[in-house]
Amino acid sequence: MTRPAASVLLELRQRVIEVTVAGGRIRLRAPAGQKVSRTLQQAVAANKADIMGVVTTAPWLLDAPLSVFAQCKVAVEVHAPGLPETIWFASDADQVDRLVEQGVRRGRIWDSGELTKLWAAGPPSHDEILAIAKGKLWSNGVLTDVEMQPAPPATQGAEPVQGTLNLGVTRPPEVD
């Protein structure tokens, strides 16, 4: 049985193996003192088209504004350190539906609307994003609202206090 491309890419990333595409070929470069195993090379070859698609699409897509991402008709699986499982960024409702049909829980999927709501209150910190993602995974929910409460005015000599991020999360209806 062929390993999924996402699994192969995750292993390459965990082993810090650089993946590039040139002239229709995938090139793998392991850190000094390491080699890419024959088994991993075979897994890359078996997933060549998918891996080439990710490697050539991901860099520009990850730098694109959310408004561009929302029009791309794509879903991108992301391994985020600190989360117990991968999450998906889906450009639109069709991509969300496709992932759910494939068995991906809705709490693992972030659509462009949810991402837009999250960033509308100002860029959240890394810790806030991690906490939000864990809550969304735990509740298997959909992000419905984000509200940033400003910090109270600081008194002279006191440590600055950050504002509070309030989230609305709803669970999708259970399917029997």
Side-chain angles (χ1 to χ4, degrees):
M1 185 169 115
T2 303
R3 285 174 57 188
S7 168
V8 176
L9 286 165
L10 179 59
E11 182 176 347
L12 291 166
R13 173 170 245 194
Q14 289 170 336
R15 295 175 182 261
V16 195
I17 296 172
E18 181 183 335
V19 182
T20 57
V21 173
R25 297 185 63 184
I26 297 176
R27 299 190 189 279
L28 304 175
R29 187 175 1 169
Q34 292 186 27
K35 290 186 177 186
V36 180
S37 72
R38 183 82 179 131
T39 304
L40 187 53
Q41 289 175 14
Q42 291 170 340
V44 168
N47 289 282
K48 180 179 178 180
D50 289 339
I51 291 173
M52 287 181 75
V54 169
V55 171
T56 57
T57 303
W60 76 263
L61 186 61
L62 294 175
D63 289 334
L66 278 172
S67 59
V68 171
F69 174 71
Q71 297 172 22
C72 287
K73 304 287 185 197
V74 296
V76 180
E77 187 174 21
V78 177
H79 171 72
L83 293 181
E85 51 191 319
T86 59
I87 58 175
W88 286 87
F89 296 134
S91 59
D92 60 20
D94 290 341
Q95 297 304 313
V96 171
D97 292 344
R98 183 178 61 79
L99 290 169
V100 170
E101 286 172 8
Q102 292 176 2
V104 178
R105 293 182 316 105
R106 183 60 177 91
R108 290 179 55 205
I109 305 167
W110 290 77
D111 64 40
S112 58
E114 291 174 302
L115 294 169
T116 300
K117 288 175 190 167
L118 183 58
W119 258 255
S125 71
H126 177 268
D127 290 340
E128 288 171 328
I129 291 171
L130 195 57
I132 293 163
K134 285 179 179 178
K136 190 172 184 313
L137 285 169
W138 174 81
S139 69
N140 197 31
V142 177
L143 188 68
T144 57
D145 185 39
V146 178
E147 178 183 323
M148 186 60 130
Q149 303 267 330
T155 57
Q156 190 167 0
E159 289 288 319
V161 179
Q162 291 185 342
T164 306
L165 189 63
N166 296 321
L167 302 172
V169 177
T170 60
R171 287 181 168 207
E174 296 294 324
V175 179
D176 293 325

